[in-house]
Amino acid sequence: MKEYLRLLLVSGVVISYGLLPLSAQAQQAADAQIAALVEALRQAAPQTGKANDGLYSAWQVKPETLKGWSRTCLKREVTPTQFENSPALAREVVSCITRRELNQQLRATRNNETAAVQGVACWWMTGAYTGCNQGFTATYVQKVVGFYQQRSQSTANPTQRSR
């Protein structure tokens, strides 16, 4: 009987550890979600109307931010000029950072996709996941969410694109 209980206990532990990757995986953003959010961030990027506003690429990224992101994602620093002149490079870095942040927010919001997108959009603009409830940042977050939802719906239902 003791042997049976020990076997049952060990089996339970082994099964629990085997299921851990599945529960973590459930909170990983899908490629389509990342692509939709990356595009939403690009579409919502504030346009200053100035040629040399100190922001780079279609995502309007600050040079000091770019240094850290490129080191994190590419394991090397990218110059603002490289980032500006290569849309593919810019999208790669932005996608990498967006994946990291969306995964974190999906976990924090227990897979509430809209809340996670709001958190990432707020972080993108302010460096904080909350506090974008009014003014310019609230408007920006709502734009991102709107663009994200449009993109997500058109990806989920391709027939809506022709409308």
Side-chain angles (χ1 to χ4, degrees):
M1 182 69 162
K2 284 184 182 181
E3 188 62 34
Y4 173 74
L5 289 176
R6 188 163 36 151
L7 181 62
L8 188 61
L9 179 63
V10 169
S11 297
V13 170
V14 168
I15 289 171
S16 294
Y17 279 112
L19 292 177
L20 279 177
L22 293 177
S23 64
Q25 192 175 32
Q27 295 178 349
Q28 294 294 310
D31 289 343
Q33 289 173 300
I34 299 302
L37 185 50
V38 166
E39 187 59 19
L41 291 167
R42 186 193 64 75
Q43 288 178 289
Q47 301 303 313
T48 64
K50 298 177 189 172
N52 296 319
D53 59 8
L55 302 171
Y56 294 88
S57 88
W59 288 273
Q60 299 290 278
V61 177
K62 294 178 182 178
E64 59 272 15
T65 302
L66 173 59
K67 283 182 181 181
W69 287 1
S70 63
R71 273 195 308 263
T72 296
C73 294
L74 305 174
K75 307 302 181 223
R76 64 181 172 89
E77 276 189 25
V78 170
T79 67
T81 303
Q82 290 171 313
F83 192 73
E84 180 77 26
N85 293 334
S86 176
L89 177 67
R91 187 171 292 274
E92 180 182 356
V93 172
V94 170
S95 294
C96 168
I97 291 300
T98 300
R99 181 177 302 279
R100 179 189 79 185
E101 296 303 319
L102 185 56
N103 283 333
Q104 181 177 325
Q105 286 302 291
L106 284 168
R107 284 189 298 276
T109 63
R110 295 192 173 130
N111 283 335
N112 180 328
E113 189 174 6
T114 300
V117 169
Q118 288 171 332
V120 172
C122 186
W123 171 84
W124 186 271
M125 187 56 64
T126 68
Y129 299 104
T130 59
C132 294
N133 315 13
Q134 57 188 345
F136 170 78
T137 55
T139 302
Y140 172 77
V141 167
Q142 289 312 307
K143 279 176 142 178
V144 171
V145 169
F147 288 135
Y148 177 83
Q149 289 172 341
Q150 286 175 351
R151 178 89 177 187
S152 294
Q153 289 170 356
S154 68
T155 303
N157 187 357
T159 59
Q160 286 185 339
R161 287 186 194 162
S162 60
R163 290 185 181 171

